[in-house]
């Protein structure tokens, strides 16, 4: 059974930083593209960033480019999201997603990030 467990969320002031982690189990981690999504109250879930096995292929939403960095530790089956220069509009529940080669998706339960102005 696949499990994705996010951690690292919390309350931070604008301009601050947080580092999220997503620990995966029950899957062959290297076969999955890992991604972060977020969902703010009253809004649809949106893509934030993704990373492939080799970690040399990453994508970012325009809204987070230059501020957020995704990375992965394949030995520890963990993907990270370093978030710097946080803004109040970054406030959301952040979700980790694993996507396999057959587009089989698995989601974590989410972690709340709140940025105060």
């Amino acid at each position: 059974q696949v499990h994705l467990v996010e951690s690292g969320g919390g309350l931070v002031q604008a301009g601050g930083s947080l580092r999220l982690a997503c620990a995966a189990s029950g899957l062959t981690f290297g076969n999955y593209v890992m991604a972060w999504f977020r969902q703010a109250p009253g809004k649809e879930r949106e893509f934030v960033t993704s990373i492939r096995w080799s970690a040399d292929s990453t994508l970012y939403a325009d809204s987070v480019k230059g501020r957020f960095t995704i990375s992965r530790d394949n030995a520890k089956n963990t993907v990270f999201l370093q978030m710097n220069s946080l803004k109040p509009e970054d406030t959301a529940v952040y979700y980790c997603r694993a996507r396999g080669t057959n587009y089989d998706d698995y989601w974590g339960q989410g972690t709340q990030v709140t940025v105060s102005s």
Side-chain angles (χ1 to χ4, degrees):
Q1 190 172 4
V2 176
H3 288 287
L4 301 177
V5 180
E6 300 99 333
S7 61
L11 173 64
V12 64
Q13 288 188 333
S17 298
L18 282 174
R19 189 187 194 213
L20 306 184
C22 172
S25 61
L27 51 74
T28 304
F29 191 65
N31 291 346
Y32 286 78
V33 175
M34 301 302 297
W36 289 94
F37 286 72
R38 67 186 181 186
Q39 188 166 19
K43 296 187 177 181
E44 293 187 353
R45 191 172 297 188
E46 65 174 3
F47 171 82
V48 176
T49 179
S50 65
I51 186 168
R52 293 188 176 273
W53 157 264
S54 62
D56 62 354
S57 179
T58 57
L59 292 173
Y60 293 93
D62 287 343
S63 58
V64 306
K65 280 181 181 176
R67 299 188 300 121
F68 290 11
T69 303
I70 190 171
S71 61
R72 63 191 292 165
D73 185 336
N74 291 323
K76 296 182 178 179
N77 286 10
T78 302
V79 62
F80 302 97
L81 180 63
Q82 178 66 43
M83 305 187 294
N84 298 329
S85 303
L86 282 162
K87 305 175 181 180
E89 51 263 45
D90 293 318
T91 294
V93 178
Y94 283 71
Y95 296 91
C96 174
R97 186 196 73 184
R99 169 163 283 185
T101 54
N102 295 322
Y103 290 90
D104 45 320
D105 289 345
Y106 300 95
W107 293 88
Q109 82 289 348
T111 185
Q112 176 70 47
V113 171
T114 303
V115 184
S116 63
S117 58

